[in-house]
Amino acid sequence: MSEGAVKKEEKARKFQAIKGTRDLLPPETGLWNRVEQTAHQVFATFGFGEIRLPIFEPTELFARSIGAETDVVSKEMYTFQDFDISEELLHLWRLLFTSKDPSKYEEVMALARLGGRVVHTVRAAFEDGQVSRTPENLSAVDNIELYATKLPGIANQGTRETSPVAAALRDAVTHLDFGDEVTLRPEATASTCRAYIEHNMQQLPQPVKLYTIGPMFRRERPQKGRYRQFYQINAEVLEATRKEVASGEWRVASKELEKDAAVDAEVIEMVMTFFERLELPGVQLDINSIGHAADNCRRGYVAKLREKLQEVKDQLGEDSRRRIETNPLRVLDSKLEHEQPIIEKLPRIADHLCEDCKAHYAAVKKELELRGVQYQENWRLVRGLDYYMRTTFEITAKGLGSQNAVCGGGRYDGLVELLGGPPTKGIGFAIGEDRLILSLQESGKGAVAQGRDVYIAWMGENARATAVRAAKNLRSAGFSVELPPVEQKFGKALGQADKLGARYALILGDNEVASGEWTLKTLATGEQGKFTETQLLEFLRKGRSGE
């Protein structure tokens, strides 16, 4: 292919959204706005305030909170280094990092010189404070210098000798740390806890109730209702408290257990109220208790579960076999059909709860019943993240097939403390907004009003100023208005109004301007009438309210 043909093909290339992402377009975005506005309204009635969090955070925040052995951290996070160095150093680092094995004398010498320049530039960056003088960085620079110095001496000996040295040189470069490792957030709870700590929210009236709405990122296999950039609605309740420790176990007064249970139930009540307000059909709430990580009930159950799983290890799939050691609870969440009979025979957490966890779980159920929240118990319900304890819950809806969960949450006392904050109790949930929208659409509850309230069909230069004023006043009154920028023939104007789904056509010509009585046509019925400007606004307001 000629150079010209290549350039032409590049020019003609059509860019598309990256796999696992997509554009949200009107009128569907109207449904998204309705869902999010409903969340704002409902959550406010429960005393929650909105928090807006960064899209990316230090990788360690998620590794420590979610758990390094979870699939999210080990497989799914979008992680990169945030370089805060000079363009020159970054350019040299990239050249050396991406260099190929040299096969000619000139290439070997060029690579050696490049290594020397990197060493010189990094050491200068040490002095300027651009790069931290850590033991790892000092060792990496020494190794780069060692291999860069060695290359000229073997430049004439061929690739058999030079390739290993060049590879070692590149490997030494990978150990340079120029800045923080950051990750696009895969979930919001850890970020909310980080903000709680950073801004000393424990000094505010407790508990602190927060919610956030926005995109999350996970490198998963895209499928119906699941994307690599997806959207969540999250809510958290955080309350600084005193932790009493006896013999390495939590000892909590009965009043505290009842208080925690009431908070758990109210959080669940809030999300169920949200779904009810949206008229989401087929909503089902499952609850469970997974005990306390610091108590013998959780440790003892996990040990017993791991023991039983080892006995049936050969009958399990690859993921479940791996989770036996890393997180046996996740095996209970398996959807593989051939594993279901095996899982049904496994020990159940309810049989291993300590007295405190039993009392807490019983209190949660009592509080839900008090609030009229219907639920069913699901002993297999575990949350996929390490920080959950005691209360766990999941809400499913229709229209999503086997992956029908639209919300999951639970209690996570101790997470804030794990991240360096004060002893703090916490509970929260995450709503998968993509799945929620899909469920609403599949059930026919996702219809969004389209079109315009009023299309202004103006004719004649004398009517132009009146049309502009009418559009401004109608928009100020809250009506959606389409004002064509140029004069149109009457038939074309009505045709355009119909295409845009307008409810009314406001007809303004010389006669209407002169008389001060404007013609309003109801497009669905063809009826029309004459109105003064004041009468018109009153008529439209009554039509909107259904009077």
Side-chain angles (χ1 to χ4, degrees):
M1 185 181 293
S2 67
E3 183 178 346
V6 171
K7 289 183 177 179
K8 185 176 181 180
E9 183 176 324
E10 289 177 350
K11 186 177 181 180
R13 177 188 174 189
K14 293 183 178 179
F15 290 99
Q16 295 182 318
I18 294 173
K19 184 178 181 181
T21 69
R22 84 282 195 210
D23 302 304
L24 299 174
L25 308 174
E28 184 182 358
T29 45
L31 175 58
W32 284 76
N33 290 332
R34 177 163 69 84
V35 166
E36 292 171 7
Q37 187 59 40
T38 303
H40 290 305
Q41 293 169 350
V42 171
F43 295 177
T45 65
F46 283 78
F48 282 69
E50 183 183 13
I51 181 172
R52 301 195 180 190
L53 301 161
I55 294 292
F56 53 87
E57 299 270 10
T59 301
E60 186 183 358
L61 174 68
F62 301 115
R64 190 182 299 183
S65 61
I66 299 174
E69 298 298 330
T70 60
D71 288 349
V72 174
V73 173
S74 63
K75 296 180 180 180
E76 299 171 1
M77 296 202 311
Y78 286 97
T79 299
F80 57 95
Q81 286 189 302
D82 183 20
F83 294 138
D84 186 19
I85 57 178
S86 67
E87 288 294 327
E88 178 190 12
L89 179 53
L90 181 58
H91 176 65
L92 293 173
W93 179 86
R94 284 173 174 164
L95 285 177
L96 190 52
F97 183 77
T98 59
S99 63
K100 298 179 181 179
D101 284 351
S103 58
K104 299 178 182 178
Y105 175 84
E106 295 81 5
E107 294 173 345
V108 176
M109 295 303 294
L111 184 60
R113 288 192 295 272
L114 179 59
R117 290 176 65 191
V118 169
V119 169
H120 174 77
T121 309
V122 172
R123 283 179 173 162
F126 284 157
E127 299 301 323
D128 295 342
Q130 284 188 5
V131 178
S132 299
R133 197 191 294 268
T134 62
E136 293 78 13
N137 278 342
L138 290 171
S139 176
V141 170
D142 288 343
N143 286 332
I144 294 171
E145 185 175 42
L146 171 67
Y147 298 120
T149 304
K150 187 175 181 180
L151 279 174
I154 59 174
N156 288 316
Q157 297 181 24
T159 55
R160 178 173 293 182
E161 298 296 328
T162 58
S163 289
V165 179
L169 178 60
R170 286 194 299 273
D171 182 67
V173 171
T174 65
H175 290 82
L176 285 171
D177 181 9
F178 292 146
D180 292 330
E181 188 176 71
V182 299
T183 293
L184 298 179
R185 62 187 188 191
E187 57 97 45
T189 299
S191 295
T192 303
C193 291
R194 188 267 310 149
Y196 180 89
I197 297 168
E198 181 176 343
H199 300 288
N200 296 313
M201 291 187 186
Q202 74 274 11
Q203 297 179 5
L204 299 175
Q206 302 293 299
V208 175
K209 300 178 180 180
L210 303 168
Y211 75 93
T212 188
I213 301 173
M216 310 293 158
F217 305 86
R218 293 186 190 179
R219 187 184 288 107
E220 295 184 290
R221 178 183 296 175
Q223 54 184 283
K224 184 178 181 181
R226 176 176 289 180
Y227 302 91
R228 291 179 171 181
Q229 177 179 321
F230 57 99
Y231 294 83
Q232 283 188 348
I233 301 172
N234 295 261
E236 321 289 343
V237 178
L238 298 166
E239 181 177 12
T241 185
R242 294 180 61 186
K243 186 178 74 171
E244 299 174 359
V245 181
S247 304
E249 298 178 1
W250 282 56
R251 296 301 182 208
V252 185
S254 59
K255 287 186 178 180
E256 283 295 307
L257 287 173
E258 293 173 3
K259 177 183 174 182
D260 292 348
V263 172
D264 294 1
E266 185 173 86
V267 167
I268 295 172
E269 178 190 9
M270 182 176 78
V271 71
M272 294 296 283
T273 301
F274 169 67
F275 289 141
E276 182 180 352
R277 188 76 59 83
L278 290 173
E279 298 182 330
L280 181 67
V283 173
Q284 177 177 303
L285 167 66
D286 285 8
I287 65 170
N288 191 27
S289 175
I290 57 173
H292 201 302
D295 273 338
N296 287 329
C297 65
R298 176 86 157 266
R299 288 200 300 265
Y301 173 67
V302 169
K304 185 73 172 177
L305 181 62
R306 182 178 283 118
E307 178 185 335
K308 291 298 181 181
L309 287 170
Q310 289 287 1
E311 295 176 5
V312 295
K313 183 176 181 179
D314 294 341
Q315 303 174 47
L316 301 174
E318 182 180 348
D319 281 345
S320 293
R321 288 198 300 271
R322 175 173 53 82
R323 289 167 176 163
I324 292 175
E325 296 303 325
T326 60
N327 192 348
L329 288 173
R330 289 300 312 281
V331 177
L332 304 180
D333 202 30
S334 170
K335 301 296 189 294
L336 294 180
E337 187 174 344
H338 79 275
E339 292 185 348
Q340 304 313 304
I342 301 171
I343 293 172
E344 280 298 320
K345 297 177 182 178
L346 292 173
R348 304 193 172 198
I349 182 66
D351 299 329
H352 295 78
L353 293 178
C354 66
E355 292 305 313
D356 279 353
C357 289
K358 284 181 182 178
H360 176 267
Y361 188 37
V364 169
K365 290 184 282 186
K366 181 179 178 181
E367 288 286 344
L368 288 174
E369 290 162 5
L370 180 65
R371 289 165 167 77
V373 178
Q374 295 184 345
Y375 65 87
Q376 68 177 25
E377 297 183 67
N378 180 356
W379 73 272
R380 289 180 53 177
L381 178 60
V382 295
R383 304 305 304 153
L385 309 181
D386 280 1
Y387 51 65
Y388 283 110
M389 52 159 285
R390 287 192 174 145
T391 302
T392 59
F393 63 92
E394 184 176 82
I395 300 169
T396 57
K398 290 183 178 179
L400 298 173
S402 60
Q403 298 291 332
N404 60 349
V406 292
C407 175
R411 176 163 284 275
Y412 49 83
D413 296 355
L415 176 57
V416 170
E417 192 173 4
L418 177 67
L419 298 176
T424 304
K425 295 179 180 180
I427 183 173
F429 61 77
I431 296 170
E433 196 172 359
D434 304 84
R435 292 189 186 181
L436 172 57
I437 296 289
L438 181 59
S439 183
L440 287 169
Q441 291 171 330
E442 292 285 337
S443 64
K445 297 292 184 179
V448 178
Q450 301 181 38
R452 315 289 190 272
D453 292 319
V454 180
Y455 186 96
I456 300 180
W458 62 274
M459 289 147 284
E461 194 59 32
N462 292 336
R464 182 178 178 87
T466 302
V468 170
R469 188 182 83 245
K472 184 175 183 178
N473 291 339
L474 287 170
R475 287 166 177 161
S476 296
F479 296 99
S480 61
V481 177
E482 186 70 23
L483 175 65
V486 296
E487 180 182 5
Q488 296 174 318
K489 292 183 178 180
F490 183 68
K492 183 177 180 181
L494 292 185
Q496 185 68 9
D498 189 56
K499 288 179 181 178
L500 291 174
R503 187 176 181 185
Y504 302 102
L506 177 60
I507 303 166
L508 294 176
D510 291 340
N511 292 337
E512 283 78 10
V513 173
S515 67
E517 289 190 322
W518 300 349
T519 301
L520 187 73
K521 183 171 185 175
T522 305
L523 294 176
T525 63
E527 296 178 0
Q528 62 183 47
K530 294 279 189 176
F531 301 90
T532 64
E533 187 170 355
T534 302
Q535 291 171 339
L536 176 71
L537 282 172
E538 185 63 26
F539 177 82
L540 292 174
R541 286 194 181 104
K542 288 182 178 179
R544 182 165 57 186
S545 64
E547 294 180 18

